[in-house]
Amino acid sequence: MSKKVTELVEELAKPIVDSLQLVLEDVEYVKEGAQWYLRVFIDKPDGIDLDDCQAVSEQLEEVLDKLDPIPNSYILEVSSPGIERPLKKPEHFQRFAGSKVLVKTFAPIDGKKEFIGQLQGINDNMVSVEIDGKEMMISLDKIASAKLMVEF
């Protein structure tokens, strides 16, 4: 069910987010303990603020209350994907080319399941990461998780 909910909420949230000149990064619908959470992650080039989150939350809440498409009660959270944001969609891998990333795979590749390197981009669902001066190509469907890494 959570897959259908996320797809539906993406469709409902996209026009709201677009109208505010923001980017819809991701939607999650997860159960934590006894409570369901609907999380909508938004961004813009210079970063979002509380007013952006509030505007999206209020407009989306109004649409969701009117249509009532989610059978369970849930908590709606609208926020930034954060500084070590997850990379899930092909456009994320393209947009953050040049950034340091941590990629975890479902199965070992050359005996390893974790790779840290410089994201080079994505082409034909193959993610390119430069690790110690060598290019490594990892198929998108082999990636369990990927996120930006921040160096201080």
Side-chain angles (χ1 to χ4, degrees):
M1 172 170 76
S2 65
K3 182 71 170 168
K4 288 168 92 176
V5 168
T6 57
E7 290 171 2
L8 175 66
V9 172
E10 274 191 36
E11 288 174 21
L12 297 173
K14 184 115 176 67
I16 293 167
V17 171
D18 288 351
S19 74
L20 297 167
Q21 280 104 38
L22 302 169
V23 176
L24 179 61
E25 289 290 339
D26 199 13
V27 175
E28 290 180 350
Y29 183 61
V30 293
K31 189 171 187 180
E32 294 178 0
Q35 186 63 55
W36 282 93
Y37 290 87
L38 177 59
R39 295 189 175 114
V40 177
F41 298 98
I42 59 173
D43 204 3
K44 65 182 177 189
D46 55 343
I48 61 164
D49 58 27
L50 194 54
D51 291 338
D52 295 323
C53 294
Q54 185 174 350
V56 171
S57 181
E58 288 172 356
Q59 291 182 44
L60 183 57
E61 195 171 286
E62 188 177 311
V63 170
L64 291 171
D65 285 348
K66 185 177 175 184
L67 297 175
D68 197 22
I70 304 172
N72 309 348
S73 64
Y74 58 90
I75 295 171
L76 174 63
E77 296 178 349
V78 178
S79 68
S80 159
I83 145 179
E84 288 196 336
R85 70 182 61 226
L87 306 174
K88 296 181 177 181
K89 301 174 183 176
E91 54 266 27
H92 295 162
F93 289 96
Q94 198 58 51
R95 189 163 102 215
F96 293 102
S99 301
K100 186 173 183 179
V101 292
L102 167 64
V103 177
K104 295 181 180 182
T105 57
F106 290 111
I109 298 173
D110 297 333
K112 292 173 49 181
K113 289 175 71 173
E114 283 192 13
F115 305 91
I116 295 173
Q118 181 106 5
L119 178 62
Q120 301 301 304
I122 186 169
N123 193 1
D124 292 330
N125 285 330
M126 294 297 292
V127 175
S128 172
V129 181
E130 183 180 309
I131 302 168
D132 298 326
K134 296 180 185 143
E135 182 181 33
M136 176 166 206
M137 301 297 286
I138 306 170
S139 177
L140 193 56
D141 63 355
K142 305 274 191 252
I143 295 175
S145 67
K147 69 176 188 173
L148 295 182
M149 293 188 67
V150 177
E151 294 180 284
F152 292 99

